[in-house]
Amino acid sequence: MTEDQVNDKIYFQAEVQQLLNLVIHSLYSEREVFLRELISNASDACGRHNFESLTDSNLREQEQDYSIEVEVSKRHKTIKIRDNGVGMTNDEVVENIGTIARSGTKKFMEALSGDQTDDSNLIGQFGVGFYSAFMIAENVEIHTRKAGQPKENGVYWKSDGVSGYSIEAESIEHHGTEVILTLRKDAKEFLDVDKIRGIIKKYSDHVSLPIRLRKAPTAKKEEEWELANSGSALWTRARKDISDEEYDNFYKTLSYDSETPLLRLHNRVEGRLEYSALLFIPAHAPYDLWDVDRRRGVKLYVRRVYIMDDTENLLPAYLRFVRGIIDSDDLPLNVSREFLQKNKQIERIQSGVVKRLLNELKRLAGKDSEKYQQFWEQFGKVFKEGVTEDADNRKRIAELLRFSTTQTEGSDQTASLQEYVDRMKENQDAIYYITADSHASAEGSPHLEIFRKHDIEVLLLGDPIDEWVVMHLTEFAEKPLKSIAKGDLSLDWLDEEKESEEETTSPKVESLVEKLKSALGERASDVRTTTRLTDSPACLVANEFAPSRNLTRILKATGQNAFDMSPILEINPEHPLIKNLVEKENDLDDWAHVLFDQAALSEGAMLEKPSDYVRRVNALLTDSIGDESSIIITP
Ligand code: ADP
Ligand code: MG
């Protein structure tokens, strides 16, 4: 940096300005969270220094204990927050503080709801916490030096949070960061040490480094430091000594959630493998549940030292909504991500923790079905992935699944497979299901007609993941799961059906079947009379061993190769339309394709050539108007 550039103002990107403006003006009532954010950054920076210096000894410039210092000066109207963590280089300051390169900022602005309590939690979730300093400060300064860098590579950054910042080099003795806030006139309340102590207790009590607090010393008086947090790792204490409130506060600080969690699990495992786990299931799904770059929810500690955020190895993806910590006594402190990926101890911890979580969910389902239902509504779609991912626990997971069926209310997924099995008809030998692109399409499918007639329950599977669920979950309680839209449907076990099956198809129907077959050509792999329909004229059925038609559609829509096999057209000889067609002598080409397309439409499919369908329907309509009123419409 040249002399000229010193003190030159660098303008914030428009988005940063917009964000700052929002933070300052819309989160007014929750301003105290600024301290939580700055302390959490300081604590992260110490954790990172500790972790990185295990592999890079240059970073450890001297023996030191980590701590965070907070100093309040009424005279100067400042609060200083100091850490001896990893610090930042010039580029890092610019990157982390001054630009919007990080994806969180834009999403944060989109997610703001207007409710100040909710929104103040979003700050932490979206990784824009530093900016909260401007809620109370008219000026923010940063003195920082990266560990391992020469002393003269320190950085001084200053901003009024309105239009931009200045940045220049300075010499800094010790690595780490000091943030100095000069408070706005309307934020003087935060110059009170008692108030600051209260805020630290409220949000940062469990930060595992000491947070020291004091009034700024003056020429006349040296002030004492006091320890402002208890700093003990909550999970190391006995369950009976921890109040619900302490658990909740811990969860809230950890997850930036303002709600009490839905479920909590705290246990310590001793013996060959020793670890503690303190895990929570939130009451509501986080905004980034489906985001591939989402922030990880479970933190790994080794003997009380924070190591990293990494649910990927600590918990399987289908439990990615779980928040909390796992603290291992056995792992080395300098574990790397690569090491974690193939570590046997991590595998054993994971398997133990997953079993406990599943048991806990089972217990919840048994004792509080309303709460369990809330869990399912929030996380069911993700949890279902477990059927495909976690073969070892598939049976346990299957017990926890909930479905919408032809006998449950609306589209809510409330029925367990056990309940389905308990309600099965005498002699019923399979669990029937239909998959579709939505609950509404499943519910409206003509394939359900025969099941409705006989009052046989069918699972209505309208979530995309359901296709994979039924691929992996082939049976439950020794009953196979069977698609009602594939292969031959045999309801032999129903006595009434046996009789009706004895009817043979008339030669006229057989000849209609042949005509339709030749008219459809490649489009249909077969045409046959149905055992599935009561009210509709026709439906499409996938071959027994082909993927379901819904799956083929999903794969195609996501650009994947789908093994596509022409479906079977089944017609209902009892339907008036088919009865009429049986009597028709002339060309059935249009009729064949219209029947086929309608059957596709009724299962929620899109037609490949809607214009062909419309043209054919119009031709048939024109014919029928002609028949009835002798009006001749010329094309
Ligand atoms: P988040 O902490 O969620 O990433 P912040 O806005 O709070 O988002 O901070 C942005 C980034 O600035 C941090 O990720 C970190 O890289 C850097 N940073 C902030 N405070 C410090 C600090 N005290 N020491 C080192 N780096 C810091
Ligand atoms: Mg932060």
Side-chain angles (χ1 to χ4, degrees):
M1 185 172 290
T2 66
E3 279 298 306
D4 295 349
Q5 281 171 301
V6 173
N7 280 330
D8 265 5
K9 191 155 185 181
I10 302 173
Y11 289 93
F12 287 129
Q13 289 175 315
E15 268 175 316
V16 177
Q17 275 188 37
Q18 209 182 332
L19 175 83
L20 282 165
N21 202 14
L22 266 171
V23 166
I24 294 166
H25 295 108
S26 67
L27 300 179
Y28 191 81
S29 71
E30 299 287 333
R31 294 193 295 180
E32 63 188 28
V33 301
F34 83 92
L35 193 55
R36 172 189 74 188
E37 294 303 324
L38 297 180
I39 286 177
S40 124
N41 285 351
S43 154
D44 288 352
C46 293
R48 257 201 324 274
H49 181 261
N50 184 41
F51 181 57
E52 286 171 18
S53 59
L54 292 167
T55 45
D56 181 354
S57 57
N58 287 333
L59 299 183
R60 197 167 284 286
E61 298 175 3
Q62 67 269 84
E63 277 306 307
Q64 65 166 46
D65 290 326
Y66 296 102
S67 72
I68 300 168
E69 293 176 351
V70 180
E71 203 173 78
V72 184
S73 165
K74 270 214 162 99
R75 204 156 77 99
H76 296 108
K77 302 187 182 54
T78 55
I79 301 177
K80 296 181 179 175
I81 295 114
R82 232 177 342 250
D83 66 68
N84 50 358
V86 71
M88 285 178 274
T89 62
N90 183 299
D91 288 355
E92 284 169 342
V93 174
V94 171
E95 164 95 357
N96 296 332
I97 311 282
T99 51
I100 226 87
R102 290 168 312 132
S103 64
T105 315
K106 215 171 158 187
K107 287 187 188 151
F108 168 74
M109 290 198 274
E110 285 162 9
L112 286 173
S113 66
D115 177 315
Q116 300 205 9
T117 310
D118 288 352
D119 290 347
S120 72
N121 284 305
L122 291 177
I123 287 188
Q125 284 178 35
F126 286 81
V128 291
F130 180 80
Y131 296 126
S132 64
F134 290 104
M135 296 196 289
I136 57 133
E138 57 186 22
N139 259 302
V140 177
E141 295 159 90
I142 302 174
H143 298 276
T144 184
R145 178 170 65 77
K146 182 89 168 182
Q149 293 272 326
K151 297 195 166 53
E152 56 278 14
N153 282 11
V155 181
Y156 173 60
W157 180 97
K158 182 174 174 163
S159 171
D160 60 4
V162 181
S163 51
Y165 59 88
S166 63
I167 188 164
E168 60 191 82
E170 70 174 359
S171 181
I172 299 180
E173 189 59 28
H174 198 288
H175 64 81
T177 303
E178 179 178 50
V179 177
I180 305 173
L181 313 173
T182 307
L183 297 211
R184 297 160 176 282
K185 283 201 188 60
D186 64 5
K188 283 211 206 83
E189 51 184 299
F190 296 106
L191 294 173
D192 177 9
V193 170
D194 293 333
K195 171 136 189 149
I196 294 293
R197 187 186 304 113
I199 300 174
I200 295 175
K201 264 263 169 273
K202 182 167 171 191
Y203 295 104
S204 313
D205 199 39
H206 306 291
V207 168
S208 53
L209 311 174
I211 302 173
R212 281 193 267 273
L213 172 67
R214 72 169 179 185
K215 282 189 201 153
T218 59
K220 279 190 236 137
K221 195 173 176 214
E222 182 64 16
E223 299 280 347
E224 292 288 310
W225 289 106
E226 61 166 305
L227 189 63
N229 64 329
S230 53
S232 76
L234 184 74
W235 59 92
T236 57
R237 288 160 50 192
R239 265 196 305 235
K240 63 174 175 32
D241 298 335
I242 308 174
S243 68
D244 284 349
E245 200 189 349
E246 283 178 292
Y247 275 124
D248 283 357
N249 282 340
F250 178 79
Y251 166 75
K252 287 174 184 172
T253 335
L254 182 90
S255 65
Y256 298 113
D257 188 352
S258 53
E259 274 183 295
T260 303
L262 195 75
L263 191 73
R264 142 183 115 217
L265 180 143
H266 181 192
N267 72 292
R268 164 142 195 93
V269 174
E270 300 192 332
R272 203 157 54 97
L273 186 73
E274 306 212 335
Y275 65 90
S276 308
L278 174 52
L279 301 172
F280 303 89
I281 295 181
H284 287 98
Y287 76 98
D288 59 354
L289 190 58
W290 298 98
D291 204 333
V292 275
D293 319 312
R294 73 186 163 272
R295 299 194 143 204
R296 305 287 173 195
V298 176
K299 295 179 193 294
L300 176 67
Y301 283 71
V302 172
R303 292 183 290 283
R304 261 64 66 206
V305 177
Y306 168 75
I307 303 293
M308 64 178 84
D309 279 0
D310 193 334
T311 12
E312 204 161 10
N313 299 308
L314 295 176
L315 285 183
Y318 73 97
L319 295 173
R320 59 182 176 264
F321 47 82
V322 174
R323 299 282 175 265
I325 66 97
I326 292 176
D327 187 352
S328 155
D329 286 7
D330 311 313
L331 291 170
L333 272 171
N334 60 345
V335 287
S336 65
R337 280 182 199 281
E338 295 67 42
F339 175 89
L340 285 183
Q341 274 159 19
K342 34 185 193 296
N343 181 265
K344 280 270 172 288
Q345 278 164 332
I346 286 285
E347 260 172 46
R348 268 186 252 131
I349 292 177
Q350 181 188 100
S351 120
V353 169
V354 168
K355 290 211 164 65
R356 268 170 204 275
L357 275 167
L358 295 177
N359 281 344
E360 212 49 46
L361 283 169
K362 187 173 172 179
R363 201 150 75 197
L364 180 69
K367 85 169 190 240
D368 189 343
S369 59
E370 212 170 290
K371 227 175 183 185
Y372 188 77
Q373 206 51 46
Q374 190 188 340
F375 159 75
W376 190 258
E377 270 163 34
Q378 294 299 319
F379 304 109
K381 284 196 180 74
V382 171
F383 186 77
K384 278 195 259 188
E385 293 170 10
V387 174
T388 71
E389 265 174 45
D390 190 350
D392 290 347
N393 290 306
R394 195 166 288 146
K395 257 180 109 164
R396 289 167 210 260
I397 295 170
E399 291 172 4
L400 291 166
L401 299 175
R402 295 294 181 268
F403 296 103
S404 148
T405 80
T406 46
Q407 296 186 8
T408 58
E409 287 285 312
S411 61
D412 292 348
Q413 300 175 353
T414 53
S416 68
L417 288 170
Q418 191 56 53
E419 283 162 355
Y420 179 103
V421 169
D422 294 344
R423 285 197 286 257
M424 272 170 50
K425 299 252 160 197
E426 212 186 324
N427 301 326
Q428 183 177 339
D429 56 5
I431 297 173
Y432 294 107
Y433 69 84
I434 180 152
T435 55
D437 67 349
S438 68
H439 176 264
S441 321
E443 197 181 27
S445 167
H447 293 101
L448 289 171
E449 288 172 5
I450 191 74
F451 291 85
R452 289 230 160 87
K453 179 176 163 198
H454 295 291
D455 197 31
I456 304 167
E457 187 167 15
V458 177
L459 305 178
L460 302 174
L461 309 184
D463 294 334
I465 180 72
D466 290 335
E467 285 289 353
W468 283 267
V469 170
V470 293
M471 236 182 264
H472 289 87
L473 187 71
T474 47
E475 60 160 50
F476 181 85
E478 289 169 21
K479 307 284 181 203
L481 268 75
K482 190 166 167 32
S483 166
I484 63 167
K486 266 166 88 166
D488 276 325
L489 181 69
S490 151
L491 295 179
D492 279 356
W493 54 270
L494 263 181
D495 287 344
E496 315 156 50
E497 278 307 291
K498 269 188 192 144
E499 289 153 30
S500 62
E501 247 182 36
E502 266 140 47
E503 292 168 22
T504 49
T505 31
S506 75
K508 274 185 171 171
V509 172
E510 268 169 33
S511 122
L512 174 66
V513 163
E514 287 311 314
K515 280 192 218 164
L516 295 176
K517 217 183 275 185
S518 74
L520 289 171
E522 300 268 286
R523 281 193 96 189
S525 64
D526 196 8
V527 179
R528 65 191 183 201
T529 56
T530 192
T531 52
R532 300 170 210 258
L533 302 176
T534 59
D535 303 329
S536 298
C539 66
L540 294 176
V541 178
N543 283 282
E544 182 84 50
F545 301 106
S548 81
R549 297 183 35 75
N550 184 50
L551 178 60
T552 309
R553 272 197 298 276
I554 296 176
L555 292 176
K556 277 189 179 168
T558 53
Q560 298 176 67
N561 266 337
F563 167 68
D564 199 0
M565 202 167 156
S566 300
I568 300 159
L569 178 72
E570 289 194 358
I571 56 165
N572 175 8
E574 303 304 315
H575 192 277
L577 182 57
I578 303 295
K579 281 187 172 151
N580 275 324
L581 285 184
V582 164
E583 303 302 330
K584 264 196 173 347
E585 288 300 316
N586 45 353
D587 174 27
L588 288 182
D589 212 53
D590 282 344
W591 280 111
H593 288 282
V594 166
L595 276 178
F596 185 99
D597 288 342
Q598 283 189 341
L601 286 172
S602 72
E603 60 186 33
M606 305 260 250
L607 298 181
E608 252 164 58
K609 285 193 191 158
S611 57
D612 278 5
Y613 172 73
V614 173
R615 182 177 50 73
R616 288 195 165 106
V617 169
N618 283 343
L620 297 176
L621 288 174
T622 309
D623 271 359
S624 70
I625 291 174
D627 284 352
E628 272 164 30
S629 58
S630 312
I631 298 171
I632 295 164
I633 301 172
T634 46

